[in-house]
């Protein structure tokens, strides 16, 4: 079939031996018909010339390294259209005042989830938070700027053993600055801000905006509390002279 061949071309699978690659195995396991059609569409539009590596496999999404038709490196986050996280996704979306109609069908719900992450990236940029530049989304596929050189940039967690106390201090200030700027100026909260979702590439870059939302969301204060707690606990353990949780929380929420 045409689409199958197009996908194989994108994955560089013209040679048979490459069918043993991780890339092929994961693609084969998670690319359903919709995903293949979506990738083929993005391919025809020059947004994805090729996918050449698996950066990460998760419960909800897989992230691939790729290149667009102009030779720019891209990261492609592909949400699973079948996910055990359906309930959580539904609850998060239902609480977001920006999201109108909620599809009953899981596949379409995941499309809404993908679009929301794209919008969150755009919104975060507006408030001067360094994130991967969003390029395009369609259905369950999100294309964004690749953060890294040859290899994807490491997360704070990956390199924490080689960081100095002063690095942790700077990263703490950065992260707390992001929380405050998003909340105060952007009316927004990331919701999963941690050493796992900050990449280090010529400075810190915040990723994974799928659960981010706006202040008007009834869950936003809870998400803010979670971010503050995680960040204060982590950097506190690393020896940083961190803020007091209650003080910070009160300062931001005003109670
Ligand atoms: P979930 O937290 O729901 O499982 P996830 O963690 O799988 O989502 P992300 O955190 O967005 O999804 O991405 C997974 C990993 O892929 C990241 O930890 C990071 O290593 C890598 N990654 C994500 N986006 C980029 C990017 N733009 N450039 C380079 N690497 C990236
Ligand atoms: Mn993540």
């Amino acid at each position: 079939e045409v689409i199958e061949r197009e996908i194989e071309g994108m994955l560089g699978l013209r040679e048979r031996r490459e069918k043993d690659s991780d890339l092929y195995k994961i693609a084969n396991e998670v690319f359903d018909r919709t995903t293949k059609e979506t990738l083929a569409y993005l391919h025809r539009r020059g947004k994805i010339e090729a996918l050449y590596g698996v950066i990460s496999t998760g419960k909800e999404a897989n992230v691939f390294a790729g290149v667009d038709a102009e030779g720019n490196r891209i990261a492609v986050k592909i949400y699973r259209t079948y996910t055990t996280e359906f309930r959580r996704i539904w609850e998060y979306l239902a609480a977001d005042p920006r999201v109108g109609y909620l599809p009953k069908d899981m596949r379409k719900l995941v499309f809404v989830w993908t679009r929301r992450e794209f919008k969150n990236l755009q919104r975060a940029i507006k408030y001067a938070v360094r994130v991967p530049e969003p390029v395009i989304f369609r259905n369950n596929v999100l294309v964004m700027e690749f953060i890294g050189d040859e290899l994807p940039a490491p997360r704070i967690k990956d390199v924490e053993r080689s960081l100095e106390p002063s690095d942790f201090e700077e990263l703490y200030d950065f992260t707390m600055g992001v929380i405050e700027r998003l909340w105060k100026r952007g009316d927004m909260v990331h919701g999963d801000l941690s050493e796992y979702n900050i990449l280090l590439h010529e400075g810190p870059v915040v990723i994974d905006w799928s659960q981010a939302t706006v202040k008007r969301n009834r869950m936003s204060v809870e998400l803010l509390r979670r971010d503050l707690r995680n960040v204060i606990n982590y950097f506190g353990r690393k020896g940083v002279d961190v803020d007091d949780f209650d003080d910070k929380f009160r300062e931001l929420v005003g109670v």
Side-chain angles (χ1 to χ4, degrees):
E1 206 194 331
V2 178
I3 286 185
E4 297 290 336
R5 274 204 304 279
E6 190 163 1
I7 298 297
E8 293 202 351
M10 288 171 73
L11 297 174
L13 297 173
R14 292 187 185 95
E15 289 178 44
R16 211 176 159 65
R17 62 187 164 75
E18 291 190 55
K19 293 202 169 180
D20 296 329
S21 71
D22 283 352
L23 180 60
Y24 183 75
K25 282 185 205 139
I26 288 163
N28 211 29
E29 179 210 338
V30 299
F31 292 0
D32 61 2
R33 173 154 201 94
T34 312
T35 303
K36 285 178 181 165
E37 281 170 3
T38 305
L39 290 172
Y41 168 85
L42 292 168
H43 184 62
R44 288 195 295 274
R45 291 208 32 202
K47 302 295 180 181
I48 306 176
E49 182 61 28
L51 297 177
Y52 52 78
V54 182
I55 304 179
S56 152
T57 56
K59 260 193 300 184
E60 249 171 51
N62 297 291
V63 181
F64 297 87
V67 64
D68 71 10
E70 290 168 3
N72 303 305
R73 310 273 318 260
I74 49 173
V76 183
K77 187 167 182 177
I78 304 180
Y79 279 96
R80 295 171 188 268
T81 50
Y82 177 83
T83 165
T84 51
E85 300 290 292
F86 180 78
R87 248 207 105 67
R88 192 177 69 90
I89 289 181
W90 193 89
E91 279 165 12
Y92 274 57
L93 288 176
D96 194 319
R98 295 172 300 171
V99 176
Y101 169 71
L102 271 193
K104 300 275 175 298
D105 160 36
M106 159 156 20
R107 211 170 45 105
K108 294 206 175 117
L109 197 74
V110 169
F111 298 171
V112 176
W113 188 248
T114 307
R115 178 175 70 217
R116 195 177 72 142
E117 179 162 14
F118 185 89
K119 301 281 179 201
N120 285 337
L121 285 164
Q122 289 181 321
R123 186 171 174 134
I125 288 175
K126 249 174 63 185
Y127 298 102
V129 178
R130 192 160 166 234
V131 304
E133 185 97 35
V135 177
I136 192 172
F137 71 93
R138 188 176 172 91
N139 297 339
N140 58 323
V141 178
L142 168 60
V143 180
M144 62 187 139
E145 175 192 1
F146 177 86
I147 306 296
D149 297 315
E150 298 301 300
L151 297 174
R155 306 169 301 177
I156 292 179
K157 186 66 193 175
D158 299 321
V159 293
E160 59 179 6
R161 283 149 177 280
S162 57
L163 297 178
E164 308 279 334
S166 63
D167 297 324
F168 283 115
E169 263 152 44
E170 276 176 34
L171 288 169
Y172 175 70
D173 290 343
F174 165 84
T175 310
M176 196 50 86
V178 167
I179 293 178
E180 292 182 352
R181 212 155 59 245
L182 281 177
W183 186 260
K184 289 186 190 161
R185 296 213 283 129
D187 292 327
M188 191 182 186
V189 56
H190 181 283
D192 194 16
L193 202 53
S194 76
E195 63 277 18
Y196 292 94
N197 282 330
I198 299 176
L199 305 184
L200 296 178
H201 182 65
E202 296 152 12
V205 182
V206 183
I207 61 164
D208 202 355
W209 290 80
S210 64
Q211 64 295 307
T213 190
V214 292
K215 213 187 252 183
R216 283 185 296 137
N217 184 325
R218 58 181 157 78
M219 291 167 74
S220 67
V221 171
E222 206 41 55
L223 293 170
L224 174 70
R225 190 191 314 242
R226 183 196 294 178
D227 283 354
L228 280 175
R229 184 153 282 142
N230 286 338
V231 167
I232 288 174
N233 285 348
Y234 175 74
F235 286 99
R237 285 201 306 279
K238 298 299 175 192
V240 176
D241 179 21
V242 292
D243 295 272
D244 178 68
F245 172 83
D246 292 317
D247 289 349
K248 231 350 158 204
F249 184 73
R250 233 174 284 127
E251 178 194 321
L252 289 172
V253 179
V255 285

